[in-house]
Amino acid sequence: MFNLVTRVQSAANQSLTSASILTGIVIVLTLLQLFKDNVWGIDTTTISNIESKSSIKYSFQYGSVNRKPKENNKITFDLDTDLTKLFNWNTKQIFIYLTAEYPGKSQGSSNKVTFWDKIITNKEDAILKLKNQRSKYSVWDVEKGFRGRNATVKLEWNIQPHIGPLIFGETSGIGSFEFPNVASK
């Protein structure tokens, strides 16, 4: 009745239950600390001097299909932000990314693209003061082109903890720009 297999199974179940409870406590404490620090209301972000540059590309790497030209866009921007509130004892790293959202072709729809991103691994690097930063990615629209539409730019973040789920949010700093009209060749 009390053989070795039963004892090992009992010890394994006790260990797994204890580890699950401890993980739950860590997750709850992490979320409580983030709510206490009001990380979803970070208002120290300024996105300014956004300049958009569009061009026509024929390469498959830039969204061209069947060698038909595709409008391609890059931006330069200034970014000033302090994300130190996002770091606590359970933060492994933070993934930040600059997105632009603009109206889609159909009524009420919108498109969202990512122009730039960065991984921050420690609190000392969480204060960013970027001037004339070029976008990391060259983007194209799912439609034929951007056609001079207005875009809203936001800095979004993703906390990757040592233990627990990924936590997403965005700063309250918002910038905007207009995609230039580019005539296809």
Side-chain angles (χ1 to χ4, degrees):
M1 183 158 143
F2 291 105
N3 61 20
L4 184 62
V5 173
T6 305
R7 291 180 184 190
V8 169
Q9 184 179 19
S10 177
N13 287 340
Q14 184 68 30
S15 299
L16 183 61
T17 302
S18 300
S20 298
I21 291 170
L22 185 60
T23 300
I25 291 170
V26 167
I27 291 169
V28 168
L29 289 175
T30 300
L31 290 173
L32 286 175
Q33 185 172 3
L34 291 173
F35 276 113
K36 180 183 142 275
D37 293 341
N38 193 22
V39 298
W40 286 275
I42 293 177
D43 59 357
T44 59
T45 301
T46 304
I47 305 167
S48 59
N49 297 331
I50 304 168
E51 292 182 28
S52 175
K53 296 177 181 90
S54 289
S55 60
I56 302 294
K57 304 278 185 173
Y58 289 89
S59 171
F60 289 115
Q61 293 177 330
Y62 296 104
S64 176
V65 178
N66 297 329
R67 303 302 285 168
K68 292 181 182 176
K70 190 76 171 181
E71 187 176 339
N72 186 266
N73 191 275
K74 284 191 162 201
I75 63 171
T76 58
F77 59 93
D78 293 347
L79 175 66
D80 187 7
T81 188
D82 181 2
L83 301 173
T84 54
K85 284 184 175 182
L86 299 178
F87 277 92
N88 62 30
W89 54 275
N90 191 27
T91 303
K92 180 179 180 183
Q93 63 186 15
I94 298 172
F95 181 67
I96 61 172
Y97 45 103
L98 193 72
T99 61
E101 189 169 1
Y102 55 95
K105 186 176 183 179
S106 61
Q107 185 69 13
S109 68
S110 67
N111 298 327
K112 194 175 201 178
V113 293
T114 300
F115 279 103
W116 176 86
D117 63 27
K118 181 178 175 87
I119 295 173
I120 303 171
T121 56
N122 58 44
K123 196 172 190 172
E124 292 76 32
D125 295 336
I127 299 173
L128 299 173
K129 294 184 185 302
L130 306 174
K131 299 288 181 204
N132 291 325
Q133 178 71 40
R134 289 184 175 176
S135 60
K136 196 173 187 181
Y137 306 109
S138 185
V139 299
W140 62 87
D141 194 17
V142 294
E143 302 168 23
K144 187 173 181 180
F146 295 103
R147 300 185 319 270
R149 293 179 274 185
N150 289 323
T152 303
V153 178
K154 295 179 183 177
L155 182 68
E156 300 183 36
W157 49 263
N158 173 353
I159 299 174
Q160 299 172 358
H162 292 285
I163 298 173
L166 300 177
I167 303 165
F168 295 87
E170 64 186 38
T171 63
S172 61
I174 296 176
S176 63
F177 70 94
E178 184 177 324
F179 288 105
N181 283 316
V182 176
S184 59
K185 297 177 183 178

